[in-house]
mmCIF file of all heavy atoms in Angstrom:
data_model
loop_
_atom_site.group_PDB
_atom_site.id
_atom_site.type_symbol
_atom_site.label_atom_id
_atom_site.label_comp_id
_atom_site.label_asym_id
_atom_site.label_seq_id
_atom_site.Cartn_x
_atom_site.Cartn_y
_atom_site.Cartn_z
ATOM 1 N N LYS E 322 -20.857 12.098 21.956
ATOM 2 C CA LYS E 322 -20.211 13.136 22.704
ATOM 3 C C LYS E 322 -18.730 12.756 22.971
ATOM 4 O O LYS E 322 -17.764 13.594 22.828
ATOM 5 C CB LYS E 322 -20.938 13.435 24.014
ATOM 6 C CG LYS E 322 -20.220 14.442 24.849
ATOM 7 C CD LYS E 322 -21.076 14.888 25.989
ATOM 8 C CE LYS E 322 -20.277 15.733 26.974
ATOM 9 N NZ LYS E 322 -21.055 16.059 28.193
ATOM 10 N N LEU E 323 -18.603 11.594 23.564
ATOM 11 C CA LEU E 323 -17.163 11.180 23.833
ATOM 12 C C LEU E 323 -16.411 10.628 22.661
ATOM 13 O O LEU E 323 -15.261 10.249 22.926
ATOM 14 C CB LEU E 323 -17.269 10.100 25.016
ATOM 15 C CG LEU E 323 -17.341 10.616 26.392
ATOM 16 C CD1 LEU E 323 -18.437 11.701 26.650
ATOM 17 C CD2 LEU E 323 -17.761 9.561 27.407
ATOM 18 N N GLY E 324 -17.024 10.281 21.624
ATOM 19 C CA GLY E 324 -16.421 9.876 20.466
ATOM 20 C C GLY E 324 -15.941 8.396 20.738
ATOM 21 O O GLY E 324 -14.817 7.987 20.322
ATOM 22 N N TYR E 325 -16.705 7.701 21.343
ATOM 23 C CA TYR E 325 -16.418 6.212 21.851
ATOM 24 C C TYR E 325 -16.290 5.414 20.673
ATOM 25 O O TYR E 325 -17.127 5.297 19.769
ATOM 26 C CB TYR E 325 -17.384 5.723 22.734
ATOM 27 C CG TYR E 325 -17.337 4.326 23.055
ATOM 28 C CD1 TYR E 325 -16.149 3.842 23.698
ATOM 29 C CD2 TYR E 325 -18.334 3.507 22.527
ATOM 30 C CE1 TYR E 325 -16.190 2.421 23.852
ATOM 31 C CE2 TYR E 325 -18.260 2.132 22.858
ATOM 32 C CZ TYR E 325 -17.162 1.520 23.516
ATOM 33 O OH TYR E 325 -17.137 0.192 23.699
ATOM 34 N N VAL E 326 -15.057 4.708 20.588
ATOM 35 C CA VAL E 326 -15.119 3.529 19.549
ATOM 36 C C VAL E 326 -14.672 2.342 20.469
ATOM 37 O O VAL E 326 -13.594 2.325 21.123
ATOM 38 C CB VAL E 326 -14.067 3.836 18.552
ATOM 39 C CG1 VAL E 326 -13.836 2.644 17.584
ATOM 40 C CG2 VAL E 326 -14.267 5.109 17.773
ATOM 41 N N PRO E 327 -15.411 1.126 20.241
ATOM 42 C CA PRO E 327 -14.954 0.059 20.973
ATOM 43 C C PRO E 327 -13.661 -0.478 20.660
ATOM 44 O O PRO E 327 -13.122 -0.271 19.558
ATOM 45 C CB PRO E 327 -15.974 -1.076 20.427
ATOM 46 C CG PRO E 327 -17.101 -0.292 19.727
ATOM 47 C CD PRO E 327 -16.475 1.019 19.322
ATOM 48 N N ASN E 328 -12.892 -0.917 21.656
ATOM 49 C CA ASN E 328 -11.683 -1.216 21.621
ATOM 50 C C ASN E 328 -11.535 -2.606 20.947
ATOM 51 O O ASN E 328 -11.911 -3.634 21.587
ATOM 52 C CB ASN E 328 -10.899 -1.337 22.915
ATOM 53 C CG ASN E 328 -9.441 -1.690 22.854
ATOM 54 O OD1 ASN E 328 -9.208 -2.815 22.324
ATOM 55 N ND2 ASN E 328 -8.497 -0.982 23.331
ATOM 56 N N ALA E 329 -10.917 -2.798 19.769
ATOM 57 C CA ALA E 329 -10.894 -4.003 19.139
ATOM 58 C C ALA E 329 -10.198 -5.103 19.831
ATOM 59 O O ALA E 329 -10.457 -6.245 19.684
ATOM 60 C CB ALA E 329 -10.355 -3.847 17.635
ATOM 61 N N TYR E 330 -9.153 -4.791 20.537
ATOM 62 C CA TYR E 330 -8.431 -5.737 21.291
ATOM 63 C C TYR E 330 -9.372 -6.487 22.265
ATOM 64 O O TYR E 330 -9.440 -7.686 22.495
ATOM 65 C CB TYR E 330 -7.252 -5.170 21.969
ATOM 66 C CG TYR E 330 -6.122 -4.804 21.124
ATOM 67 C CD1 TYR E 330 -5.746 -3.579 21.126
ATOM 68 C CD2 TYR E 330 -5.606 -5.639 20.262
ATOM 69 C CE1 TYR E 330 -4.671 -3.115 20.166
ATOM 70 C CE2 TYR E 330 -4.600 -5.303 19.354
ATOM 71 C CZ TYR E 330 -4.114 -4.064 19.262
ATOM 72 O OH TYR E 330 -3.145 -3.670 18.512
ATOM 73 N N ALA E 331 -10.006 -5.520 23.032
ATOM 74 C CA ALA E 331 -10.897 -6.071 24.081
ATOM 75 C C ALA E 331 -11.963 -6.907 23.519
ATOM 76 O O ALA E 331 -12.380 -8.046 23.917
ATOM 77 C CB ALA E 331 -11.549 -5.025 24.784
ATOM 78 N N GLN E 332 -12.587 -6.473 22.363
ATOM 79 C CA GLN E 332 -13.581 -7.308 21.665
ATOM 80 C C GLN E 332 -12.991 -8.744 21.265
ATOM 81 O O GLN E 332 -13.604 -9.632 21.465
ATOM 82 C CB GLN E 332 -14.093 -6.586 20.483
ATOM 83 C CG GLN E 332 -14.902 -5.267 20.649
ATOM 84 C CD GLN E 332 -15.713 -4.745 19.616
ATOM 85 O OE1 GLN E 332 -16.702 -4.273 19.619
ATOM 86 N NE2 GLN E 332 -14.956 -4.881 18.371
ATOM 87 N N GLY E 333 -11.873 -8.627 20.748
ATOM 88 C CA GLY E 333 -11.147 -9.804 20.351
ATOM 89 C C GLY E 333 -10.917 -10.745 21.483
ATOM 90 O O GLY E 333 -11.361 -11.928 21.447
ATOM 91 N N LEU E 334 -10.550 -10.199 22.538
ATOM 92 C CA LEU E 334 -10.150 -11.050 23.690
ATOM 93 C C LEU E 334 -11.558 -11.642 24.290
ATOM 94 O O LEU E 334 -11.532 -12.742 24.619
ATOM 95 C CB LEU E 334 -9.586 -10.121 24.816
ATOM 96 C CG LEU E 334 -8.356 -10.587 25.525
ATOM 97 C CD1 LEU E 334 -8.193 -10.030 26.922
ATOM 98 C CD2 LEU E 334 -8.202 -12.016 25.493
ATOM 99 N N SER E 335 -12.638 -10.913 24.323
ATOM 100 C CA SER E 335 -13.697 -11.365 25.053
ATOM 101 C C SER E 335 -14.598 -12.227 24.122
ATOM 102 O O SER E 335 -15.711 -12.544 24.346
ATOM 103 C CB SER E 335 -14.586 -10.213 25.396
ATOM 104 O OG SER E 335 -14.929 -9.412 24.421
ATOM 105 N N GLY E 336 -14.013 -12.739 23.090
ATOM 106 C CA GLY E 336 -14.577 -13.830 22.252
ATOM 107 C C GLY E 336 -15.143 -13.623 20.942
ATOM 108 O O GLY E 336 -15.546 -14.521 20.317
ATOM 109 N N ARG E 337 -15.521 -12.385 20.694
ATOM 110 C CA ARG E 337 -16.181 -12.081 19.418
ATOM 111 C C ARG E 337 -15.261 -12.081 18.249
ATOM 112 O O ARG E 337 -15.717 -12.039 17.107
ATOM 113 C CB ARG E 337 -17.168 -11.009 19.481
ATOM 114 C CG ARG E 337 -16.371 -9.603 19.387
ATOM 115 C CD ARG E 337 -17.306 -8.621 18.650
ATOM 116 N NE ARG E 337 -18.708 -8.704 19.300
ATOM 117 C CZ ARG E 337 -19.802 -8.514 18.676
ATOM 118 N NH1 ARG E 337 -19.762 -8.480 17.392
ATOM 119 N NH2 ARG E 337 -20.838 -8.409 19.287
#
Side-chain angles (χ1 to χ4, degrees):
Chain E
K322 174 171 173 190
L323 272 51
Y325 166 69
V326 177
N328 179 308
Y330 290 124
Q332 292 193 142
L334 231 204
S335 61
R337 77 152 48 223

